[in-house]
Amino acid sequence: MERRQVLLDVLTDAGPSIVPVWSTTDLDEALLWQAALEGTDVERIVAKPLREAYKAGRVWAKIRHADTVNAAVVGFTSSARHPKALAVRLSDGRWRCPSG
């Protein structure tokens, strides 16, 4: 919390090109943001424990807007080690395979 306050103090006069990201410790507020931001250019919400240090790499949870369905992978294009596309069978029996 102290680090964030220092950042906010530094950014006070930085101008419109540098702005702090939203931050909350309130789950209900975060869920409201998640719902309100769907369909905007904001891709996801990132979550990390307050006491955790900023670390290089992908160590935080990313919550994205997504529509998901269950499907069984029944094939692929290219190689098994590096597939380019998947052929899938949906739970209702239909299947999808990208062209190419």
Side-chain angles (χ1 to χ4, degrees), residues 40-63:
T40 69
D41 289 338
V42 176
E43 179 182 323
R44 62 187 170 252
I45 291 176
V46 176
K48 82 166 196 61
L50 275 178
R51 295 188 186 277
E52 185 174 308
Y54 292 94
K55 299 176 187 174
R58 298 179 181 259
V59 295
W60 302 340
K62 294 180 181 180
I63 301 108

Side-chain angles (χ1 to χ4, degrees), residues 6-92:
V6 169
L7 174 65
L8 293 175
D9 292 344
V10 169
L11 293 178
T12 299
D13 298 320
S17 61
I18 301 175
V19 295
V21 297
W22 296 353
S23 175
T24 186
T25 57
D26 183 286
L27 176 61
D28 291 332
E29 185 172 34
L31 293 173
L32 285 173
W33 292 349
Q34 176 77 359
L37 294 171
E38 188 171 1
T40 69
D41 289 338
V42 176
E43 179 182 323
R44 62 187 170 252
I45 291 176
V46 176
K48 82 166 196 61
L50 275 178
R51 295 188 186 277
E52 185 174 308
Y54 292 94
K55 299 176 187 174
R58 298 179 181 259
V59 295
W60 302 340
K62 294 180 181 180
I63 301 108
R64 298 176 185 253
H65 295 284
D67 292 325
T68 61
V69 296
N70 290 325
V73 176
V74 295
F76 54 88
T77 63
S78 193
S79 71
R81 187 172 188 134
H82 300 286
K84 290 185 179 178
L86 301 176
V88 298
R89 184 175 39 249
L90 303 173
S91 59
D92 65 3

